[in-house]
Amino acid sequence: MTVTVEQPRTRRELTAFLRFADEVNAERTASWPVLAPMQLPFVSGQGPDAHEREVRPLVAREDGRIAARVVAVDDAAYRRRWDDGVGHLSLFEALPGRVESIRTLMNEACDWLRSRGATAARAGLGAGPDLPFVVDDYESLPPLPVRHNPPGYHTLLHEAGFGVEKSCLDYVAEATPEHVARWERIVEEARARGFRLVPLGEVAPERRIEDFARTWNEAFADSWGMTPTPEEEFEQTFAFAGPRGMDDFSVVAYRDGRPMGVASCGPTLSGLARLAPGRVLAPWEGLRFFGVGVRAQMRGQGLGLALTAQSFLAQYRMGATHLGYTMVLADNWASRRTAERLGARIRATYLIYRRDFR
């Protein structure tokens, strides 16, 4: 067997790079198909996702056939914010048991990051559309774009010199009568304290992107591993996701006319899921991706709780029976308490990996 590592460059090669994930997931009973037009700008080093990032997509081939892929990312915004020597590896996928190919691929990717000044590589958080690796629920369809990896990835990453750096949790809440009543009470209490909770689509168009982007970036300025998201990226996201529910289910909280917190609720695209014959999605599968952030001076006042409750209620009133509270760092106890107070329970656990260079 001969292993070679190549850098795809043409649109055709990059499309094949992306569609490799469909091959990896071919045997699943439920999976998200590759949406190549949405991912091509990032792997091409273009568009808002690639802002201040130099990307290097790589594929490992065994006797000419793709066995694994990854994108090495030199993220200038991350380096400026954290200055911790970490480079990023994004969009990792591999066929089962390809240990030698993955070692060769990851060595090549890490060597490139090292040449850019990095002293370590992180896989599973940051650098474009990358999220952690699931460790305990390999069958359920997660929210899009949460990673849906096979069990063997953990062994392959360890074989390539990676260790676990952090863990994350994905929560789901059921819209029971008790929970709905609780969410309504939380929202009313926030309004009584002077907060105005406005669906994203009702924010004045001239303020929408700036209010949301600045509030989101300030709320997550000190969150581990996060970097500011440019307004152009929010503009792109709103244009696609707004008509698909984001305008109705995302929320901006105002007090005295100033934005103080935001809840981001992505589109539901469960109709796109590839399902095996007879496979039916459970009501808690394929949920909307959700995130919430509050400016530092507003924390401790239940605003994150109220923003989430408002979004949950809007989704419930449109027929949702289960709501996602997506991807919380396991040591973020404040966010975990928010999820629990809303009646959410852990759906799955995810891991972030790191390889320190020697």
Side-chain angles (χ1 to χ4, degrees), residues 36 72 76 95 162-163 271 297-298 310 320:
L95 295 176
F162 289 81
Q297 68 266 35
M298 288 290 107
Q310 172 77 359

Side-chain angles (χ1 to χ4, degrees), residues 108-122:
E108 179 83 12
C110 289
D111 284 346
W112 183 79
L113 290 174
R114 186 187 289 111
S115 75
R116 311 290 297 177
T119 58
R122 178 175 296 143

Side-chain angles (χ1 to χ4, degrees), residues 14 22 38 45 52 54 57 59 73 91 142 179 181 183 193 202 204 234 238-239 246 265 273-274 276 290 303 336 355:
L14 290 168
D22 284 339
M38 297 179 64
E52 290 197 283
E54 186 172 350
V59 296
V73 186
L91 297 181
H179 290 163
W183 302 339
R193 293 195 300 274
E202 296 180 16
F234 282 108
F238 292 173
M246 190 172 190
C265 185
R274 301 190 311 177
F290 181 85
L303 183 54
R336 291 183 62 175
R355 173 174 161 177

Side-chain angles (χ1 to χ4, degrees), residues 30 32 139-143 270 279-287 322:
W32 294 112
E139 298 303 321
S140 300
L141 186 70
S270 56
R279 174 72 154 88
V280 177
L281 292 180
W284 42 267
E285 291 185 276
L287 300 181
H322 292 73

Side-chain angles (χ1 to χ4, degrees), residues 75-84 217 220-228:
D75 189 336
Y78 178 90
R79 284 192 279 107
R80 187 166 58 247
R81 170 61 186 88
W82 295 102
D83 191 28
D84 59 2
N217 285 330
F220 287 97
D222 295 322
S223 295
W224 181 84
M226 297 285 285
T227 55

Side-chain angles (χ1 to χ4, degrees), residues 26-312:
E27 300 302 316
R28 290 186 180 277
T29 62
S31 65
W32 294 112
V34 171
L35 304 176
M38 297 179 64
Q39 292 182 308
L40 270 171
F42 171 68
V43 298
S44 302
Q46 303 169 2
D49 281 349
H51 179 69
E52 290 197 283
R53 291 166 173 156
E54 186 172 350
V55 302
R56 190 178 183 89
L58 297 168
V59 296
R61 295 182 181 273
E62 291 184 2
D63 299 326
R65 180 190 176 192
I66 297 179
R69 74 172 199 196
V70 77
V71 181
V73 186
D74 177 23
D75 189 336
Y78 178 90
R79 284 192 279 107
R80 187 166 58 247
R81 170 61 186 88
W82 295 102
D83 191 28
D84 59 2
V86 171
H88 292 85
L89 299 174
S90 183
L91 297 181
F92 170 74
E93 298 284 358
L95 295 176
R98 303 310 206 268
V99 173
E100 191 58 38
S101 290
I102 289 153
R103 283 177 176 165
T104 304
L105 176 71
M106 289 304 202
N107 286 342
E108 179 83 12
C110 289
D111 284 346
W112 183 79
L113 290 174
R114 186 187 289 111
S115 75
R116 311 290 297 177
T119 58
R122 178 175 296 143
L125 184 71
D130 204 47
L131 288 164
F133 298 84
V134 69
V135 73
D136 55 3
D137 183 355
Y138 300 105
E139 298 303 321
S140 300
L141 186 70
L144 187 71
V146 172
R147 191 189 291 274
H148 196 194
N149 57 275
Y153 276 21
H154 303 286
T155 298
L156 294 174
L157 287 164
H158 284 300
E159 288 277 9
F162 289 81
V164 175
E165 185 176 20
K166 289 268 190 178
S167 62
C168 296
L169 306 168
D170 185 37
Y171 283 83
V172 172
E174 184 177 1
T176 65
E178 176 190 355
H179 290 163
V180 170
R182 186 185 306 172
W183 302 339
E184 290 173 338
R185 186 170 61 253
I186 289 169
V187 168
E188 288 307 313
E189 289 171 352
R191 288 174 175 157
R193 293 195 300 274
F195 291 108
R196 189 164 60 95
L197 306 176
V198 183
L200 180 63
E202 296 180 16
V203 177
E206 66 272 14
R207 294 190 58 175
R208 188 175 302 152
I209 293 172
E210 181 178 345
D211 282 2
F212 197 98
R214 289 191 177 183
T215 306
W216 179 273
N217 285 330
E218 183 177 323
F220 287 97
D222 295 322
S223 295
W224 181 84
M226 297 285 285
T227 55
T229 302
E231 289 190 5
E232 293 79 9
E233 189 169 334
F234 282 108
E235 185 176 7
Q236 175 180 268
T237 299
F238 292 173
F240 171 78
R244 295 168 174 82
M246 190 172 190
D247 282 349
D248 300 315
F249 306 137
S250 298
V251 187
V252 183
Y254 291 90
R255 177 180 268 179
D256 300 326
R258 295 184 60 227
M260 296 298 178
V262 292
S264 174
C265 185
T268 177
L269 300 172
S270 56
L272 297 178
R274 301 190 311 177
L275 303 177
R279 174 72 154 88
V280 177
L281 292 180
W284 42 267
E285 291 185 276
L287 300 181
R288 297 176 182 274
F289 190 96
F290 181 85
V292 61
V294 174
R295 291 183 186 269
Q297 68 266 35
M298 288 290 107
R299 292 173 190 160
Q301 300 187 43
L303 183 54
L305 198 68
L307 282 160
T308 308
Q310 172 77 359
S311 178
F312 280 9

